[in-house]
């Protein structure tokens, strides 16, 4: 079901003839509350169980399918004048994703989620993306980015970054020491390192630009 819904959204976005906004609203509006419920149920879950130890397990495959759906929902929000709740939930409840990244799930899922966060911080509203003008989508996106930025900066001010691996085998963020038995020349996953750095910088930038109090900016 997840795969089918994701494919329909992606194919709709690729179709040059279809009235995308109408089709997507007809498809997603009845599922809005259901998809937010899925988000809460699937991501607010104890992922340290043995079901997720293998990147090839059914549980891991299902989680990856759900992340693919979240990515499709993010891409589709530019087509609607006002985004649905299911298209905003990734921003508004990003703490679920941040907790998941620092859990003991397989590295492939952590990387996929980090790259999804990168897409979130680079996201623009539909009109803004097409013409540079301010649209009715701008206010919800501003609210969403503020919520995401606040959540990211909160966890980063604790020890969240220290729990993020930069390689499926070895070092963690900020660590130059290779794990025992590792090739010291192996290096870190530069894609993840760049994505994490960009997410943090964008969160800082957005928070500073939308903070009125000098103390809050400091």
């Amino acid at each position: 079901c997840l795969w089918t819904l994701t494919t329909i959204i992606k194919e709709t976005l690729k179709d040059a003839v279809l009235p995308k906004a109408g089709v997507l609203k007809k498809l997603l509006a009845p599922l809005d509350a259901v998809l937010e419920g899925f988000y809460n149920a699937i991501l607010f879950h104890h992922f340290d169980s043995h079901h997720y130890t293998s990147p090839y397990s059914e549980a891991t495959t299902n989680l990856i399918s759900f992340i693919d759906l979240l990515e499709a929902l993010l891409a589709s929000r530019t087509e609607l004048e006002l985004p649905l709740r299911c298209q905003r939930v990734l921003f508004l409840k990003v703490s679920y994703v941040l907790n998941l990244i620092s859990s003991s799930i397989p590295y492939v899922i952590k990387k996929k989620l980090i790259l999804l966060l990168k897409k979130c911080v680079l996201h623009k509203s539909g009109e803004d993306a097409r013409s540079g003008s301010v649209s009715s989508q701008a206010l919800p996106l501003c609210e969403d980015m503020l919520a995401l930025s606040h959540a990211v900066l909160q966890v980063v001010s604790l020890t969240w970054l220290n729990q993020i691996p930069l390689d499926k085998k070895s070092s963690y963020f900020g660590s130059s020491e290779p794990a025992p038995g590792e090739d010291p020349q192996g290096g870190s996953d530069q894609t993840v390192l760049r994505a994490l750095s960009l997410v943090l910088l964008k969160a800082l930038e957005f928070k500073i630009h939308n903070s009125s109090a000098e103390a809050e900016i400091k």
Side-chain angles (χ1 to χ4, degrees):
C1 290
L2 291 172
W3 181 88
T4 303
L5 185 56
T6 303
T7 303
I8 292 171
I9 295 171
K10 286 181 176 178
E11 291 303 315
T12 302
L13 293 174
K14 282 194 279 186
D15 197 304
V17 180
L18 278 176
K20 295 184 181 69
V23 172
L24 288 167
K25 192 167 184 179
K26 191 174 181 180
L27 173 69
L28 296 175
L31 295 171
D32 200 23
V34 175
L35 290 173
E36 184 176 1
F38 266 22
Y39 184 92
N40 296 339
I42 291 174
L43 297 190
F44 192 64
H45 179 75
H46 190 65
F47 285 99
D48 296 329
S49 73
H50 66 278
H51 296 297
Y52 297 91
T53 51
S54 167
Y56 308 107
S57 69
E58 184 181 359
T60 301
T61 303
N62 290 340
L63 185 53
I64 288 173
S65 295
F66 186 67
I67 296 168
D68 288 338
L69 176 59
L70 289 177
E71 191 173 336
L73 288 170
L74 174 66
S76 71
R77 70 177 277 164
T78 57
E79 301 299 332
L80 299 185
E81 190 173 343
L82 286 172
L84 297 167
R85 180 77 183 182
C86 65
Q87 295 169 311
R88 302 181 64 191
V89 69
L90 180 59
F91 293 84
L92 300 177
K93 297 183 179 180
V94 72
S95 59
Y96 290 13
V97 171
L98 297 173
N99 290 338
L100 190 51
I101 290 171
S102 61
S103 73
S104 61
I105 55 168
Y107 181 78
V108 63
I109 299 179
K110 293 177 188 273
K111 182 171 182 175
K112 199 169 177 65
L113 286 169
I114 290 167
L115 294 178
L116 181 58
L117 286 180
K118 176 188 167 185
K119 289 183 179 180
C120 286
V121 298
L122 294 177
H123 188 73
K124 291 186 176 181
S125 63
E127 285 298 315
D128 198 30
R130 286 189 283 271
S131 64
S133 61
V134 177
S135 73
S136 56
Q137 296 177 350
L139 183 59
L141 184 59
C142 182
E143 291 173 357
D144 294 354
M145 279 299 301
L146 200 55
L148 184 144
S149 300
H150 182 69
V152 167
L153 293 176
Q154 268 196 321
V155 295
V156 166
S157 68
L158 302 172
T159 58
W160 185 77
L161 281 177
N162 297 333
Q163 301 170 55
I164 311 303
L166 292 180
D167 186 286
K168 58 184 172 183
K169 292 179 182 176
S170 60
S171 60
Y172 280 64
F173 199 99
S175 168
S176 58
E177 293 295 320
E182 289 288 325
D183 176 11
Q185 303 303 316
S188 302
D189 187 331
Q190 295 300 303
T191 303
V192 170
L193 179 59
R194 284 193 298 269
L196 271 174
S197 301
L198 182 63
V199 168
L200 178 53
L201 287 171
K202 282 288 183 182
L204 272 170
E205 178 188 42
F206 199 84
K207 187 72 174 173
I208 288 170
H209 287 172
N210 289 275
S211 297
S212 53
E214 188 178 345
E216 188 180 6
I217 293 172
K218 284 183 180 178

